[in-house]
Amino acid sequence: MQAHKIPLFKHWVSEGLARAVIFAILMTSLCCFALYSSPVTIMGFYGIDATAMQYGMVVIYGSTVTFLALDVRIVKRFTSRGYLLLALAINGICALICFYSRNWTIFIIGQFLQGMTCALLSGIVLNLIFPRLESTRAKVIGYTILYAGIQISVPLYAIFCSAILYVRDFNWLFYGIIMLLILLGLSVLITMHPNARLHKKLPLYQVDWIGYIYYTYITLALGYILVYGQQLDWLDNPYIKILSLILGLVLILFVLREMRLKRPLIDLRIFGTKNFVLGLLLLVIFYLFKGSTGLTYSYVENVLATDSLHTIPLWLAVIAGTLLSMFVTARFVLSGTNLMQLMLVGFMIMAMYYGYMLLFVSVAGETLDFILPMFIYGLATGALFVPIVFFTASAAPQGMALYASLLGIFARFVGFCSSIALNNQLQLYTKGAIREKLRETLTETNPLIPSLWQDIQNTYINAGNDMYVAKNASDFLFNKLIKQQLFARAVRDYYDVMLVILLCIIIALLLVPRIRNIVLKLGKNNIPY
């Protein structure tokens, strides 16, 4: 029997167990993204600033995006079990090195390699499952389960990381990842057939390696410019200017190469489809709003002083809202509900989230007050992600479903990086404006300031501290209170801006010409990255 016709799992493995192993592979492939669930901890462990931490996320995300395009060909060269075990081994070695190292450069290199293994693991799972789903109903249900797994992976692993960080240092997260990889590796080794492969064996001599290098540079350079742009003053900085010029040159070379090749890394002719381009734009917009929730978690940690363990209810609320919304949305999709109407409902639910946050963000808030808005955010995530991806996939021309998937995940990456850039830029302006207003208020002529400072100092003196300690402690606490006020007000102003942008998008979608005629069509080669 030919290798690509051998069943992937051994004969004694039931269908339920096989599906469980496949889903475990998918979820484990995303575990490295959870390292960023506590930004303060990772910054303290490596001694870096927030911008460097953000670029670490860009590196692992960008590496995943670019290697997925290459993995489509490489997966046809190796047996499935051997390919999976190789990815798990590389991931585990990287985690082990990072466990014993506190070097940021080594960590970034490890993140790049782990991003490649994430693409490898998720790519082989998607190639295994979704081409075998024949009916549209089976595809919608299968895609929804996949999207739900992807969307809840971050909050799920955030809970896992919160529990570890409550009792251990940051590097023990790598230990936890290694344990997960070992368990998954044993499961793959026991259940999967050693000689089975997904496709007929193909040589690697026609793989577009040069295109992959171009694509990787474009992705990482774009991410660097968007993340570091505000800190380095954008094009006024010579380094950003040179990087942008090289990026433009490489982009031109990449486009010319892909248009010329018979088997390109990505067939760029797909951009000739207007509705597909609109779908990519909607994905970028969705991730632009999705990325703003990181500010909520920072607010809960910094202003409300909530430890990692007590943020778990917030993560659970996101998971519950996402799962509920995705499966309800899938039912509407199956019943033939207009995809654009579903997207409009999703954006309206997202507007409710921002409106709720504007009401409750303050320095005197409670963590429990934000369980409901995070649940609403989860509802918005499910109500938006499913119809946007289906809309984009349905708009793709026949024979280009694979490239639609690859460009879809690139659009999500661009939206993610853009959300970081917008967050950094708006935070700069809002904090600057608020600081000026405070400067007008916090003066020596304000009679409330000395009395407040004196009350704080007296509290420390009454607690048994001497005058010197009480003075220094009161100065520290007073400055901390000011910073909390600044941050809370900046969060409110940021969400004000996002709400206005969101309302403009809703109005624009209502005015879009009749794109409502798109029929949901998911071909055999649609693979939903």
Side-chain angles (χ1 to χ4, degrees), residues 375-392:
F375 178 78
I376 295 173
Y377 162 75
L379 292 177
T381 297
L384 283 170
F385 193 54
V386 171
I388 289 176
V389 175
F390 284 156
F391 174 85
T392 308

Side-chain angles (χ1 to χ4, degrees), residues 53 151 182 214 349 369:
M53 184 274 301
Q151 294 299 317
I182 290 175
Y214 285 163
I349 296 174
D369 294 336

Side-chain angles (χ1 to χ4, degrees), residues 94 199 288 299 349 445:
C94 291
H199 307 276
L288 190 67
Y299 162 78
I349 296 174
T445 58

Side-chain angles (χ1 to χ4, degrees), residues 40 295-306 480 484 487:
V40 176
L295 204 58
T296 303
Y297 298 117
S298 296
Y299 162 78
V300 170
E301 286 186 10
N302 298 327
V303 177
L304 303 186
T306 305
K480 181 180 178 181
Q484 287 179 343
F487 187 72

Side-chain angles (χ1 to χ4, degrees), residues 28-45:
T28 305
S29 69
L30 304 169
C31 65
C32 293
F33 287 90
L35 294 171
Y36 301 94
S37 59
S38 179
V40 176
T41 307
I42 191 173
M43 288 189 290
F45 183 80

